[in-house]
Amino acid sequence: MMKWIVPIGFLLIGVLSGIIGEKVIFRKLKKIAFSKKFPIGEVLIQSLNRMPFIWCTLAGFYGAVISYRTEPEITDVLKRVITIAFLYSVTLVLARLTAGIINLYLRRTEGLSASLISNAAKTAVLVLGILILLQTLGVEITPVVTTLGITGIAVGLALQDTLANLFSGFYLIISKQVRTGDYVKLDSGNHEGYVTDITWRNTTIKELSNNVIIVPNSKLATAIFTNYHLPVKEITLIMSVGVSYESDLEQVEKVTVEVAKEVMQEVAPELIENEPYLRFEEFADFSINFTLYMRVNEFFDQRIARHLFVKKLHKRYQQEGIKIPFPIRDIYVSKDQ
């Protein structure tokens, strides 16, 4: 009975240390990292999630195995199992850390990150770590790599559609034809929205109505679509207006541009140097028509800018006595003699 006291003591110390480290120390570090808004610290904390408890528990098991005198063969097997578990946990931390750093970099450069890139990097680190783990344990990895290669060919032939979507996803990201955060409109004309993610199989597009469209990567890579965020997010809002023939066109131009500037000051003040302008286009049946051109930050801002422009222009035209005529048709009826 006495020979069990020390091993059990090591186990209890390891488990208790893990609980204290996880619930107290690790939680305090997590609060500090998130409260200070330190991105690298946040990534590191997320990568180490649950690991303090696992490592302390493994250390307790290791101490128990060493202190409990048993057959050397059994001790070696237990040590090897603990070593495998520890090395795998370290590999998992490195994989999480790699994915987190890539996501952080993509958010800083692109605004949003595609999960395909981070997941691919995470998988690569896991595979590399497992191969190193096998090599450390004395397993010859050359036959393993060869077997994986042959198996990969067979799996590739069986999963052609899946691989097509995978490589199409990489193509979309590398070519930067579609990026997370871009506003796109598919050639069907029925679906448009913001690209929220590009995974190994499909691209997720979120409509303004909050519906989600799932498009296979291979379909999107060969589709005709409009990306409203390329080459830049800023776009020109085009508004068509008509005024009566009695209007003073110089006054119409001055008042309309002033209203457009007011709208830009509210919606896109950083673009105010790109002054709005209008161009008269035609003498229509009942009005003189012109088109106003005004810059806004992105596609979605068109809605609020158009809303404000119509309200403000209508009010200003009423104040200035400028009329927007109704459609009028004069019909002359002659009596048959």
Side-chain angles (χ1 to χ4, degrees), residues 15-72:
V15 172
L16 291 175
S17 299
I19 293 174
I20 294 172
E22 183 76 25
K23 300 296 182 181
V24 180
I25 301 175
F26 186 76
R27 185 171 291 180
K28 286 185 178 179
L29 292 175
K30 186 176 181 179
K31 286 182 178 179
I32 293 173
F34 281 87
S35 62
K36 299 294 183 180
K37 294 183 178 180
F38 183 51
I40 296 296
E42 293 177 10
V43 171
L44 182 60
I45 291 296
Q46 291 173 349
S47 302
L48 291 173
N49 187 38
R50 301 296 300 171
M51 290 303 162
F53 175 76
I54 293 174
W55 288 342
C56 289
T57 303
L58 288 175
F61 270 110
Y62 191 81
V65 169
I66 294 177
S67 62
Y68 183 74
R69 301 184 182 278
T70 184
E71 298 293 334

Side-chain angles (χ1 to χ4, degrees), residues 4-239:
W4 288 97
I5 295 178
V6 176
I8 291 175
F10 274 111
L11 284 174
L12 291 176
I13 292 173
V15 172
L16 291 175
S17 299
I19 293 174
I20 294 172
E22 183 76 25
K23 300 296 182 181
V24 180
I25 301 175
F26 186 76
R27 185 171 291 180
K28 286 185 178 179
L29 292 175
K30 186 176 181 179
K31 286 182 178 179
I32 293 173
F34 281 87
S35 62
K36 299 294 183 180
K37 294 183 178 180
F38 183 51
I40 296 296
E42 293 177 10
V43 171
L44 182 60
I45 291 296
Q46 291 173 349
S47 302
L48 291 173
N49 187 38
R50 301 296 300 171
M51 290 303 162
F53 175 76
I54 293 174
W55 288 342
C56 289
T57 303
L58 288 175
F61 270 110
Y62 191 81
V65 169
I66 294 177
S67 62
Y68 183 74
R69 301 184 182 278
T70 184
E71 298 293 334
E73 294 82 4
I74 298 176
T75 301
D76 291 339
V77 170
L78 293 175
K79 286 182 179 180
R80 180 164 295 193
V81 170
I82 294 172
T83 302
I84 292 173
F86 175 73
L87 292 178
Y88 179 76
S89 66
V90 172
T91 301
L92 188 58
V93 170
L94 292 177
R96 291 175 179 174
L97 188 61
T98 302
I101 291 175
I102 290 176
N103 278 333
L104 183 62
Y105 171 77
L106 291 176
R107 287 194 192 100
R108 287 183 173 180
T109 56
E110 304 293 339
L112 292 172
S113 62
S115 60
L116 175 60
I117 299 296
S118 59
N119 287 338
K122 185 176 181 179
T123 302
V125 172
L126 282 174
V127 171
L128 181 62
I130 290 173
L131 292 177
I132 295 174
L133 175 61
L134 293 175
Q135 184 74 28
T136 303
L137 296 175
V139 178
E140 185 63 37
I141 64 172
T142 302
V144 176
V145 174
T146 304
T147 303
L148 289 176
I150 297 173
T151 305
I153 295 174
V155 172
L157 293 174
L159 301 175
Q160 293 185 28
D161 291 341
T162 300
L163 290 178
N165 286 318
L166 176 64
F167 288 112
S168 294
F170 280 116
Y171 167 75
L172 290 171
I173 293 173
I174 294 172
S175 66
K176 294 188 176 181
Q177 293 179 348
V178 178
R179 304 164 301 181
T180 49
D182 286 355
Y183 192 94
V184 299
K185 183 177 182 180
L186 303 184
D187 57 347
S188 62
N190 298 324
H191 301 297
E192 59 183 85
Y194 288 97
V195 177
T196 57
D197 197 9
I198 301 176
T199 66
W200 62 275
R201 183 172 178 80
N202 51 58
T203 299
T204 305
I205 300 175
K206 187 176 182 180
E207 294 182 309
L208 296 179
S209 59
N210 245 11
N211 296 323
V212 174
I213 306 168
I214 306 297
V215 183
N217 292 332
S218 59
K219 298 291 184 183
L220 187 61
T222 57
I224 299 173
F225 60 88
T226 304
N227 191 333
Y228 289 98
H229 282 186
L230 289 178
V232 293
K233 287 185 178 182
E234 295 84 1
I235 64 172
T236 301
L237 170 62
I238 300 175
M239 294 286 294

